Structures are given as C-alpha cells and as structure tokens.
Amino acid sequence: MKKLILLPLLMLLTYCSQAQNGAKGEAAEGIKPVGIIKNLTDSALLDVVQRQTFRYFWDFGHPVSGLARERNNVAYDYGNEVVTIGGSGFGVMSLIVADHRKWITHQQAVDRLLKMVNFLYRADSYHGVFPHWLNGETGKIIPFGRKDDGADLVETSYLFQGLLCARQYFNGDNQKEREIRDRINAMWGDVEWSWFTRDGRDNLYWHWSPNNGWAMNFAIRGFNECLITYILAESADRYPVGANVYHGGWAQSNFFTNGKTFYGHKLPLGFDYGGPLFFSQYSFLGLDPKGLKDQYADYWEQNTNHTLINHDYCVDNPKKYKGYGENCWGLTASDNFEGYNAHSPTNDLGVITPTAALSAFPYTPEYSMKALRHFYYDMGDKIWGDYGFVDAFSESRNWYAKSYLAIDEGPIVVMIENYRSGLLWKLFMSCPEVQHGLKKLDFESPMIK
C-alpha cells in the first residue's frame, strides 16, 4: 500500500466542494481517493469515509454488469469475473447513498442501476433465486462449492433488500426509472420463496441445486444474519410462506433464545456473547430495528446489547491482544492472517475488522466514532487506502490486510447513513409488501402503518 500523505486544508476544501457538487468536473468513470485529512469534524470524517468506501462499488464495480466484485484481490482461485449477489445488494444500497449525498449525479446512479438490473434479469437463477456468485461478464453461475452450484436464498435476500430500497428511491416518471422499477418488480415476483420450504416443511432451506437438489440440506434457523430472509419470504406477493415457517423453523434452534447477561448487557437471542457483529448488521441494512419487536425480542435491544458486549469484550481483552481497547474494537467475519474466519468473543484470534465497529454506528455512535478516529488518524498509514479501510488487521501479528470485501465495505456506507439520516431504513420500511409481511408475523414497529 502506498504511503499516505497528510492533505493540506486547501485539498480538504476542494474535496468538500466536490462532494457538494456531485460529479460536476468529475469523470463518470471514477471518484478520486483522498489520503488522511487532519482535524476533520465528526460529520466531515463520516463524509470522507462513506465516500471513499463507496468507491469499491463505483470504481471497482464490474465493468460489464456493474455488480459488486467479491473482493479486490484474486484469491482462493476466484478470478477477476466473480461478482457476489449479496454484496451487490449492499452495493445497490450504497449507490442510493451516493446519489442522496451527491457524490455522483442522479443520472449516473440511474444508468448504473439500470445496467445492473438488466444484467440480473438475464442472469442464471433457479426458481427465481440467484446463486452466491455469478460471472460478471456472462451472467453464468460460478459455483461456491462442489454442491453449492445453484440457488442461494440468503444471498438473494440481501440482494432484494437493496433492490426494494432502490425501487422505492428511483421513483421518477421517466422511461429509465420506470424500467428499473419494472425489472425489480418482475424479479421480485419470480422468487419462489415457498419452493425453499422443501415440499412444505416448517423451515426455509438455504440452497437448492439443479444438479444436487437439496443435498446441502441447510435449514435456516436463528438467531443469526438471516432474519431478512424470513421477513422477505413472508412479504412476497406470489410465492409467500406462512407464519408457521417463521415460528416453526427460524425460531426453533438451540441457539435462538438466550436471555443471559454478558458484561452487564442482557442478550435476548443468539449465541453466548452474541457471535460476530454482522448478525446485527446484514439483516438491518434496510429492516429498521428501532422499536421493532415481536414475541421473541426487542430488536433494538438485541442489536445494541450485542454490539456493547462485543465492545466491552475487546476493552476487557481477556487474551491480552496488542491494540485492543476502547478505541480499537470490533470482531466479525473477515480475512485474517490464516485466511478467513468469523471472529467473535468466543472465536477471538486477535483480529480487528473495521466494518464491525463502523457498521455499528446506529447502535453505539460514541464508541464507533472513537474507533473511527483511531482507525483513521492513528492507523491510517497501515489500513486506509483507495477503498477506505482494509478488511482487517492484527497488531499482535503485525498483519494488515491488503484486501477489501464487498460484504464488509457495503455495510459501512449503509449503516453510517442510517445513523445519519435513516435513509435506507425509511425506504425499505415504506415497501407495502414488507409492511404486510411484518404484520403477518405480529411485529410491532413505529414504521408499520
């Protein structure tokens, strides 16, 4: 990674002017990255971080499809053409933020999204459900595993969380925006959620393959990152599932209810200590947890306490890893010095992942800002680059990733925006189908009309 420089005030003023003017004077092909800028206000720092992180989806998006590449480095034999369906959903939401913040013009956002949805409309899918990976040039499936060579229901739910937000946002009365909405509605209507109950069982199943059928045999049960999958399955117009699937499948596992207290914070649901932080982030990029309750939990309490437990564990630092503390915290799934792992208090390898604390801004703004300032000012020469913060680092191992991953970059942009304006929460919760699905399950929310 290139040595970063401290930019003078003049550069900061120029940068802020570009942010205000959107893409004026800026080629459609790219947004210029910036180095470390001294003495930013909290608001200006959030601008810088969101905007530079968005570059992953804008400048590094696949040139043919516009979809999000899995990662920036060719690793694990992925190749340059691999795009990720879930990460592309996060990218769509980031595109909405970019339009809202005027980093790009509205027309640029429309054109990019139209390219994406037209590509998806022609791409491989199975019972309306997309695979985990596609070839970004051809739209053909790239198997995620030997038997994982078909539909991935969870990744598809992340995609549609983003597409439904886009349908609500791009509401202009013109040909391109109507085409965007029509394409999204067509694909949304084609998802056969009920097929994934595997002949009418009280459960959704993660995978189905035309070659291997139900061989993966992975029932989706909570509590984890998959709540959004059940909410969308309940919300569908053409192929919905019944409330029995939510209550008889999702809510039936030996790690669903918890109720114990960790570091003084009661955890209603999930694994002890809460698991990796993406559990409280991926499903809630669009699904607004504020005031969201059902018979099992208050999801604002669930997500906030999960985050506080993760933070307090890192401050406590029982394994005495170098660097951990009130300014350096956040355990979640990411790259590490061995490969990739789902880091958490019960699976702590000394690896801090910036997306964990930064995507927790709505829940712990003070603690997240402390982490952001530390990552940016104290560690920027090691972890700040062209697409924002690198995926992860371990000071104990003197290891600093050079990689960026779509599923870690997207939540930074989106959840910081939800903290600042609630934009994606408002869009997703405004979907009439989502309102219907939540009512079916007797959810409470101030957003339900």
Side-chain angles (χ1 to χ4, degrees):
M1 186 180 296
K2 292 182 287 188
K3 184 71 175 176
L4 300 171
I5 60 172
L6 298 177
L7 298 185
L9 180 59
L10 179 61
M11 183 69 80
L12 170 59
L13 294 175
T14 301
Y15 166 78
C16 291
S17 175
Q18 287 177 342
Q20 289 298 316
N21 293 330
K24 290 181 181 178
E26 185 172 75
E29 290 79 28
I31 297 173
K32 291 184 176 70
V34 298
I36 305 300
I37 307 170
K38 289 183 176 179
N39 302 321
L40 293 174
T41 64
D42 287 353
S43 180
L45 180 53
L46 291 174
D47 284 338
V48 169
V49 171
Q50 281 184 288
R51 190 174 191 264
Q52 189 128 321
T53 305
F54 170 66
R55 292 188 71 249
Y56 183 91
F57 301 99
W58 185 249
D59 290 0
F60 191 60
H62 193 282
V64 176
S65 64
L67 299 177
R69 287 181 164 119
E70 168 75 11
R71 52 171 57 239
N72 73 308
N73 58 334
V74 180
Y76 313 117
D77 298 320
Y78 288 168
N80 287 317
E81 303 301 331
V82 178
V83 295
T84 169
I85 286 298
S88 292
F90 300 169
V92 167
M93 300 174 98
S94 299
L95 184 71
I96 294 169
V97 176
D99 185 14
H100 174 72
R101 292 277 167 189
K102 303 191 186 312
W103 307 328
I104 57 177
T105 67
H106 183 67
Q107 195 58 54
Q108 285 177 307
V110 167
D111 289 344
R112 175 65 69 91
L113 183 59
L114 186 57
K115 176 162 73 170
M116 294 167 75
V117 296
N118 280 334
F119 183 88
L120 286 167
Y121 191 75
R122 298 187 298 269
D124 283 352
S125 66
Y126 310 88
H127 296 277
V129 173
F130 292 99
H132 192 118
W133 286 337
L134 287 172
N135 182 306
E137 183 174 5
T138 66
K140 298 300 181 185
I141 185 175
I142 295 176
F144 190 68
R146 288 184 62 240
K147 293 187 176 181
D148 191 356
D149 60 348
D152 186 311
L153 195 65
V154 173
E155 292 287 308
T156 297
S157 68
Y158 296 149
L159 174 66
F160 276 99
Q161 185 175 210
L163 290 178
L164 289 175
C165 287
R167 186 195 70 187
Q168 300 300 97
Y169 182 82
F170 292 95
N171 58 5
D173 186 16
N174 58 73
Q175 181 179 347
K176 287 185 176 180
E177 293 189 53
R178 283 195 298 270
E179 187 176 349
I180 286 171
R181 296 192 297 273
D182 289 346
R183 283 281 191 255
I184 291 171
N185 281 330
M187 291 187 290
W188 164 244
D190 282 345
V191 178
E192 297 178 31
W193 303 94
S194 54
W195 169 266
F196 288 84
T197 61
R198 197 172 172 182
D199 300 320
R201 304 183 188 190
D202 285 349
N203 223 118
L204 288 173
Y205 285 77
W206 198 308
H207 314 91
W208 180 82
S209 158
N211 301 311
N212 297 293
W214 301 104
M216 295 286 288
N217 193 32
F218 200 99
I220 305 171
R221 295 188 169 180
F223 184 76
N224 50 42
E225 74 275 27
C226 304
L227 176 61
I228 191 66
T229 306
Y230 275 86
I231 297 300
L232 290 178
E234 299 287 348
S235 302
D237 289 327
R238 290 183 64 193
Y239 303 102
V241 301
N244 59 297
V245 177
Y246 179 76
H247 298 295
W250 170 250
Q252 300 300 320
S253 72
N254 57 10
F255 51 84
F256 185 71
T257 57
N258 192 297
K260 301 176 192 173
T261 297
F262 306 91
Y263 292 104
H265 309 293
K266 182 181 177 182
L267 187 69
L269 303 176
F271 297 99
D272 285 356
Y273 295 90
L277 276 183
F278 72 89
F279 286 4
S280 59
Q281 295 166 1
Y282 286 2
S283 283
F284 300 95
L285 298 181
L287 184 64
D288 186 354
K290 286 186 176 179
L292 185 70
K293 303 174 184 178
D294 68 0
Q295 69 185 68
Y296 304 111
D298 176 326
Y299 291 91
W300 185 256
E301 177 190 25
Q302 168 69 27
N303 295 347
T304 300
N305 286 358
H306 178 197
T307 307
L308 289 169
I309 291 164
N310 197 289
H311 168 270
D312 291 357
Y313 170 86
C314 291
V315 173
D316 183 35
N317 192 15
K319 293 189 175 182
K320 308 302 179 189
Y321 285 123
K322 181 180 178 182
Y324 279 33
E326 64 177 2
N327 296 326
C328 191
W329 62 277
L331 308 179
T332 195
S334 69
D335 283 353
N336 63 28
F337 47 84
E338 297 174 329
Y340 187 90
N341 210 318
H343 310 106
S344 72
T346 57
N347 184 35
D348 181 14
L349 304 178
V351 175
I352 297 294
T353 305
T355 189
L358 302 186
S359 301
F361 250 100
Y363 311 126
T364 54
E366 181 181 347
Y367 295 153
S368 294
M369 184 58 74
K370 283 184 179 180
L372 174 53
R373 288 195 163 274
H374 175 68
F375 295 157
Y376 186 75
Y377 285 116
D378 302 333
M379 302 190 67
D381 61 331
K382 295 183 176 71
I383 66 172
W384 178 257
D386 285 349
Y387 303 127
F389 295 109
V390 298
D391 200 49
F393 61 90
S394 173
E395 292 187 74
S396 293
R397 297 279 185 143
N398 195 30
W399 173 85
Y400 303 88
K402 298 186 185 304
S403 56
Y404 300 87
L405 276 66
I407 58 172
D408 291 339
E409 297 299 300
I412 294 174
V413 180
V414 174
M415 288 301 260
I416 289 178
E417 190 58 42
N418 279 331
Y419 161 67
R420 301 179 81 182
S421 71
L423 176 64
L424 287 311
W425 285 342
K426 292 172 186 174
L427 290 169
F428 185 76
M429 298 297 283
S430 73
C431 295
E433 304 97 320
V434 173
Q435 297 260 328
H436 173 68
L438 291 171
K439 289 176 182 176
K440 273 175 62 178
L441 298 176
D442 295 322
F443 271 87
E444 298 176 24
S445 166
M447 302 293 282
I448 297 176
K449 298 175 182 176

